[in-house]
Amino acid sequence: MQASELYKVPSPVQAFHLDWMKERNLSLTIKRDDLIHDAVSGNKWRKLKFNILQVKHLGKTGILTFGGAYSNHLLATAHACYSFGLESMAIVRGDELNEKSNDILRQCSKWGMQFRFVSREEYHLKDDFEYKNELKDEFRSHYIIPEGGKSYLGIIGCQEIVSELQNEFDEIWVAQGTCTTSIGLALSCNINQTIQAVPILKGFDVSMEISDIMKFAGFDPESVGQVLSRLNIHAEYHFGGYGKTTEELLNFILKMKEEHDLGLDPIYTGKAFFALQDYYKNSDIENRKIVFLHTGGLIAGSYLK
Ligand SMILES: *Cc1c(COP(=O)(O)O)cnc(C)c1O
């Protein structure tokens, strides 16, 4: 099967109307990466695409990756591997779990994913050089992709999002987990454009994380500086941290669904879209062309209840 038949790329762009934004000449469009695929949703396909090509180039027969119990990345990897005839193996955080612990893991398992459930201490070693070498020795036919697709090839895949945007824009809003997507966006936009990133993790040093990821991926200090200068971090919209929600957030998500038929998830996109509106409501900025990147996540989001 060809990737072009499976995944809806370029993803559609949709105008989104809110009266109060229109009055201030704030135009808002949504880049619908959530429509790329039901299971391999949003930025998860962007981050997997070149990694999967690499698996083929290297003549490997499977992918080994890492995730938590509610990981969109595991779901995406399991389905993509299933579609491309590859094996998939996941190192999962939590040795009290099994492949029937929740709907995500059950679904991954149906698509043929194998699991190793490890303690939090062992999971913590996921980016450790020695640990990865041990895994490489054990799983010789598998190509290792870091947690959440956080890799050089993942960053390159996310650059394609910006190249698909045909109309002029000033900024892109995006939910931020590992930072891979926001790095790809920031690298590929121009000097007058900014990336408005909304971390969904609490107490997370974004600049440090970005420098670490980029250095590890082989980017030079100038590129790191460029990315940091184009990123605007909105750190106050994590709603308590990963997987945490509030009544206010859930009501907002419901309202967007009922009034605008826009589905958002409570882990990532709901927080980012809330942040965008809250930020502009609390400022008097006018005349901006704003893009919201819908990174998907609706399946895992609906399982986390
Ligand atoms: C994984 C994910 C993100 C975070 O992307 P990063 O590249 O890890 O920063 C954002 N939104 C959704 C829906 C996701 O599943």
Side-chain angles (χ1 to χ4, degrees), residues 146-179:
E147 181 189 49
K150 185 175 78 176
S151 59
Y152 174 74
L153 293 173
I155 293 172
I156 300 301
C158 292
Q159 294 191 318
E160 295 193 329
I161 301 168
V162 175
S163 61
E164 287 174 19
L165 292 171
Q166 310 251 321
N167 294 329
E168 271 179 47
F169 64 89
D170 298 309
E171 60 189 38
I172 305 177
W173 285 73
V174 63
Q176 189 180 55
T178 64
C179 301

Side-chain angles (χ1 to χ4, degrees), residues 43-44 47 72 148 175-181 265 268-269 295-297:
N43 60 351
K44 298 302 181 280
K47 295 193 275 186
N72 287 320
Q176 189 180 55
T178 64
C179 301
T180 313
T181 306
D265 80 286
Y268 292 102
T269 54
T295 42

Side-chain angles (χ1 to χ4, degrees), residues 8 25 38-39 43 74 94 97 106 127-128 130 132-133 137 171 175 181 212 240 256 263-264 270 298:
K8 192 170 179 174
N25 196 24
D38 282 347
N43 60 351
L74 289 190
L97 302 170
R106 242 192 311 269
D127 293 325
D128 180 81
E130 297 282 321
K132 279 209 296 206
N133 274 343
D137 274 347
E171 60 189 38
T181 306
D212 284 353
M256 288 303 123
L264 297 165
L298 290 171

Side-chain angles (χ1 to χ4, degrees), residues 223-239:
S223 305
V224 178
Q226 186 192 68
V227 164
L228 291 175
S229 70
R230 288 175 186 174
L231 270 178
N232 204 356
I233 307 294
H234 300 269
E236 60 284 6
Y237 294 103
H238 54 66
F239 290 86

